Amino acid sequence: MAKYFDVHPDNPQPRAIRQVADSVRDGALIAYPTDSCYALGCRLGSRDGIERIRTIRHLDDRHHFTLVCQDFAQLGQFVRIDNDVFRSIKASTPGSYTFILPATREVPRMLQHPKKKTVGVRIPDHVVTQALLTELGEPLLSSTLLLPDEEEPLTQGWEIKDRLDHVVDAVVDSGDCGTEPTTVIDFSGGEAEIVRRGAGDISRFE
C-alpha cells in the first residue's frame, strides 16, 4: 500500500520532502509531480525500480528513461554536450523539455539505449520536484506516468494513489500539474531532432 504525501505546491513541507527522499534512497518507486505532468521515479541505480516502471508502463528495452536533474551542473555529469548544443539546452532550462544525448560513464548501462548509448535528461521548473532533487542530492530516474492504452497521463494524486496503490511505494500529491508530457529533443546526432511535441515550446528548435 503506497504512502500518500500531501505537499504544498508553492511551499513544500521540509519534513514531507525528507521522508520522500529517504524512501527513494531506500529503493522506493514514487509517483511525483513535475512541470509537465506526473511521473514515476526511483533512485538512479535501482534495477528493481527500472523493472517496475517497465512493467507498469509496458515498456521495452528501447525506451529512453530520463534522468531528472536539479541543475545544469548535475546534468553535465551524465551526458556529453558540445558548445552549440550547450547553448540551446542552457537557454531552455529549467523547463518542460527532455533532451536525448550521449551518455557518460556515470550512467549505468541498463539505463542507456542499447544501440545508441544515449539517455534522456531534463531540469524541471517545478517547486516540489526541485525541493525533492535538492534533498536527494542526485537525479531521479524517471518516466512519464502514462499507463498502457491510455492517451493522457494521470493528473490527480488521489487517482494515482487509488489506481497504483499496490505497484508504487509512495505518491506525492501537490495538485494538478497538467496532462502534457515534455517536449523531447534528440541532440545525439548534433542537430536538434524533435521526437515528441509536448509542453515545451518547439519554435526555438525548428
Side-chain angles (χ1 to χ4, degrees):
M1 196 168 174
K3 294 180 180 177
Y4 181 79
F5 295 91
D6 187 3
V7 178
H8 194 281
D10 300 315
N11 297 290
Q13 304 91 316
R15 183 170 179 270
I17 294 297
R18 281 194 300 272
Q19 289 177 325
V20 176
D22 286 344
S23 68
V24 171
R25 293 188 192 100
D26 290 339
L29 175 63
I30 67 170
Y32 70 100
T34 76
D35 53 344
S36 58
C37 56
Y38 275 84
L40 296 168
C42 65
R43 195 168 188 181
L44 177 59
S46 174
R47 186 178 295 274
D48 176 67
I50 292 171
E51 291 309 315
R52 290 169 68 187
I53 292 173
R54 288 192 198 279
T55 299
I56 292 169
R57 291 204 54 203
H58 295 183
L59 302 173
D60 60 28
D61 63 0
R62 294 183 298 279
H63 176 76
H64 270 106
F65 283 99
T66 299
L67 301 182
V68 178
C69 300
Q70 179 185 351
D71 52 28
F72 210 89
Q74 190 177 73
L75 181 149
Q77 299 174 39
F78 298 96
V79 289
R80 297 195 302 276
I81 312 175
D82 67 26
N83 288 337
D84 289 340
V85 173
F86 174 91
R87 284 191 288 272
S88 294
I89 295 178
K90 184 75 170 174
S92 307
T93 55
S96 301
Y97 298 93
T98 297
F99 301 101
I100 297 173
L101 290 159
T104 68
R105 292 183 179 180
E106 299 295 318
V107 179
R109 188 178 296 273
M110 61 185 173
L111 298 185
Q112 300 178 28
H113 187 283
K115 292 183 178 178
K116 297 180 180 179
K117 308 304 179 191
T118 49
V119 70
V121 288
R122 90 180 202 85
I123 302 170
D125 187 13
H126 192 280
V127 172
V128 173
T129 318
Q130 280 292 341
L132 177 56
L133 292 168
T134 300
E135 181 66 32
L136 193 59
E138 62 182 51
L140 270 170
L141 167 64
S142 192
S143 182
T144 303
L145 210 175
L146 181 61
L147 298 181
D149 302 321
E150 297 195 10
E151 293 184 2
E152 291 190 344
L154 298 177
T155 61
Q156 300 291 338
W158 61 265
E159 183 185 11
I160 295 167
K161 163 75 169 162
D162 186 54
R163 295 184 62 180
L164 301 182
D165 202 25
H166 298 291
V167 292
V168 301
D169 301 305
V171 175
V172 181
D173 187 353
S174 64
D176 193 345
C177 59
T179 61
E180 212 172 3
T182 57
T183 292
V184 180
I185 311 292
D186 188 343
F187 272 116
S188 61
E191 299 290 329
E193 177 187 347
I194 300 167
V195 177
R196 180 177 71 195
R197 295 168 185 262
D201 178 15
I202 62 168
S203 60
R204 68 183 65 189
F205 299 107
E206 290 182 308

